[in-house]
Amino acid sequence: MVIDERQMTHQLSYQSSFMKKRHEQKLVILSIGLMMAFSIPISLLFNSEKEVFGYPMVLIYLFAVWMISIIISFVIVKKYDE
C-alpha cells in the first residue's frame, strides 16, 4: 500500500487539529463557570446603588468577568498552540 505525500500531510494536519483533552476540559469548565457567573441570581448580587467611575456595579462586574474569561481562554489556547 503506497501512501502519497499529500495523504500523509492531510493525515498529520487532521490529527494535529484537535485540541488536547485537558485543554478542552479547561475550556468546558470555564464555560460552566461563566454560565454560573452570568446567571441572574449572581449578577443581582452586584445590583446596588454603588458606582465606580460613574458606572453601576453590575456593569463593572459583567465586563470584569467577561474580560477575565477572555484572558483565561487566551492562556489556555496559547498553551495548546505550543
Side-chain angles (χ1 to χ4, degrees):
M1 181 170 144
V2 177
I3 298 177
D4 64 351
E5 191 173 321
R6 185 177 49 176
Q7 285 179 333
M8 186 63 129
T9 313
H10 175 69
Q11 220 171 19
L12 289 174
S13 67
Y14 179 75
Q15 290 174 352
S16 66
S17 67
F18 289 111
M19 194 175 284
K20 290 183 181 177
K21 198 68 163 174
R22 67 174 183 254
H23 296 304
E24 287 179 4
Q25 290 172 349
K26 290 176 186 176
L27 290 174
V28 168
I29 290 170
L30 178 65
S31 299
I32 292 169
L34 283 174
M35 284 192 314
M36 290 189 303
F38 287 136
S39 69
I40 296 298
I42 303 295
S43 296
L44 288 179
L45 290 174
F46 295 92
N47 192 15
S48 66
E49 297 295 322
K50 294 181 183 177
E51 293 184 351
V52 177
F53 300 116
Y55 296 106
M57 274 303 284
V58 69
L59 196 61
I60 298 295
Y61 166 74
L62 292 174
F63 280 106
V65 169
W66 185 33
M67 185 173 46
I68 290 168
S69 69
I70 290 172
I71 293 169
I72 292 172
S73 298
F74 176 77
V75 168
I76 292 171
V77 171
K78 192 68 175 170
K79 282 185 180 180
Y80 162 70
D81 204 23
E82 294 174 348

